[in-house]
Amino acid sequence: MKRRMWALPALAALAAGGLLRSEYERDHFVVEEARVKSYKVRRERRLVFLTDLHDKEFGEGNSRLLEAVRQAAPDLVLIGGDTMVAKPGRASLEATQRLLEGLAGICPVCYGNGNHEQRLREQQETYGDMYRRFRELLRQNKVEYLSDSSVDIGDDIRVSGLDIDEVYYHNRVSQKMGAAYISRRLGKAAEGRFQVLLAHSPLFADAYGRWGADLALAGHFHGGTIRLPLLGGVMTPQYQFFLPCCGGTFERDGRFMVAGRGLGTHSVNIRLGNKPQVVVVKLLPGEEKETAAEKKLMRKGQGTASDGNFL
């Protein structure tokens, strides 16, 4: 009985400490680097990848986040979707507007859809004209909107944005996605160019690689909410547990995926061992045939922990 009496206050203190730590982490992002090397890249580029902001602001008008982007000195900012929260009664574009206006003065920006942008588009009876206003914000800030479309960057890079059907987000035993699905939406991957694919869910890395993505950029899983040493992310927003692709840099046969841990939260407003993340991707020129040692070095990257190979 005495042991149980002591256990309850100890558990309460532990829970309170966890909540305080989570509040701290949610407001303190980190900037981490991933390196990707390819013979298709003709000169070094710096890409900043932002995903899953979900209306979060770091400082007034997202001043701290925007300053971090400036400090990274990117050639291009890539947004992986879900800058807003599309839930009845909570939907707003105010944080998205301030972010886009701030990024417009730094460098060119490409924007790919997440599941929340697609809700705005597909459920207009719920969200009214928000999707139209979202499109107008992109236009006003000269953002390249990649909704099942592509844009060429220089003479060696193509960036494509894939809209993923809702069934791939909500089926608990997730549907298989094939390369043919991506081809139907985007056509063939670039030939001779380094192909970057903005694809919000990291579950389908094999399909992205088979389609021809040299680098897929994903998010959606918020790093797994809680991250544990060796085990990685614990839980996705869809209540899937211990998936290996919640966050990190992955490589198979010279094709890469970076799963960003995101910047905000929604519904499950917890982060533990899982600070919000700005990803700086360094694209480096490489020889067409690299040694095994070079591939191993690039797979390790810098700053961004690797959770394993493709699924």
Side-chain angles (χ1 to χ4, degrees):
M1 181 66 74
K2 287 183 178 180
R3 286 181 180 175
R4 273 181 279 183
M5 289 176 64
W6 279 104
L8 289 174
L11 288 173
L14 185 63
L19 289 173
L20 288 172
R21 176 65 191 181
S22 176
E23 285 298 308
Y24 172 82
E25 289 196 17
R26 286 172 59 199
D27 200 44
H28 291 80
F29 64 85
V30 293
V31 179
E32 297 181 338
E33 184 180 283
R35 293 185 300 161
V36 175
K37 190 175 183 181
S38 171
Y39 70 92
K40 297 179 183 178
V41 176
R42 298 184 182 177
R43 62 180 178 84
E44 182 178 329
R45 304 299 212 299
R46 292 176 67 84
L47 313 179
V48 164
F49 177 52
L50 307 174
T51 189
D52 297 280
L53 187 72
H54 289 303
D55 294 330
K56 174 65 179 175
E57 292 194 283
F58 299 89
E60 185 176 352
N62 246 323
S63 56
R64 287 193 284 130
L65 177 60
L66 292 168
E67 181 57 27
V69 174
R70 286 189 195 92
Q71 290 293 323
D75 299 290
L76 183 68
V77 170
L78 300 172
I79 298 178
D82 286 7
T83 60
M84 73 291 292
V85 176
K87 287 187 175 292
R90 289 187 59 187
S92 169
L93 293 175
E94 292 180 5
T96 296
Q97 178 175 349
R98 288 189 285 267
L99 176 71
L100 295 179
E101 288 174 349
L103 291 174
I106 298 175
C107 71
V109 179
C110 294
Y111 195 118
N113 281 332
N115 52 310
H116 286 249
E117 287 85 358
Q118 289 177 222
R119 281 182 204 164
L120 297 183
R121 180 176 62 192
E122 295 167 5
Q123 300 177 29
Q124 294 187 35
E125 69 283 0
T126 300
Y127 299 107
D129 70 342
M130 284 192 68
Y131 183 68
R132 180 195 62 77
R133 291 190 286 118
F134 166 66
R135 293 291 305 270
E136 181 62 17
L137 283 177
L138 296 174
R139 187 194 65 78
Q140 289 174 355
N141 291 286
K142 297 180 172 56
V143 175
E144 191 74 46
Y145 183 42
L146 300 178
S147 176
D148 280 342
S149 60
S150 305
V151 64
D152 289 339
I153 307 296
D155 59 357
D156 57 345
I157 295 172
R158 176 169 295 171
V159 182
S160 303
L162 174 69
D163 291 350
I164 299 174
D165 285 325
E166 186 177 359
V167 67
Y168 291 102
Y169 289 114
H170 294 291
N171 191 342
R172 294 292 178 84
V173 181
S174 196
Q175 299 250 31
K176 290 286 186 182
M177 180 188 290
Y181 171 86
I182 305 173
S183 294
R184 285 195 299 272
R185 305 197 77 118
L186 284 170
K188 292 182 179 180
E191 293 183 7
R193 289 176 175 267
F194 184 84
Q195 176 69 68
V196 180
L197 178 66
L198 293 170
H200 192 62
S201 174
L203 270 181
F204 309 106
D206 278 334
Y208 306 152
R210 287 195 300 271
W211 173 71
D214 297 295
L215 171 64
L217 297 172
H220 189 52
F221 288 161
H222 301 181
T225 307
I226 298 170
R227 294 184 68 80
L228 300 176
L230 303 179
L231 295 176
V234 173
M235 181 183 73
T236 75
Q238 289 72 45
Y239 305 106
Q240 299 156 300
F241 295 91
F242 296 105
L243 291 180
C245 59
C246 287
T249 302
F250 305 79
E251 184 268 350
R252 174 179 284 179
D253 298 330
R255 299 190 185 275
F256 292 79
M257 181 178 78
V258 173
R261 299 198 305 272
L263 288 156
T265 59
H266 70 91
S267 302
V268 181
N269 294 310
I270 296 173
R271 282 184 177 268
L272 280 174
N274 180 31
K275 287 183 177 179
Q277 182 192 40
V278 174
V279 183
V280 178
V281 181
K282 288 184 70 174
L283 296 184
L284 303 169
E287 298 296 327
E288 187 162 358
K289 292 183 179 180
E290 295 173 341
T291 66
E294 286 174 330
K295 286 185 177 181
K296 184 176 180 181
L297 176 63
M298 294 310 300
R299 194 156 50 234
K300 287 181 178 178
Q302 280 187 351
T304 303
S306 176
D307 288 338
N309 287 331
F310 281 176
L311 302 177

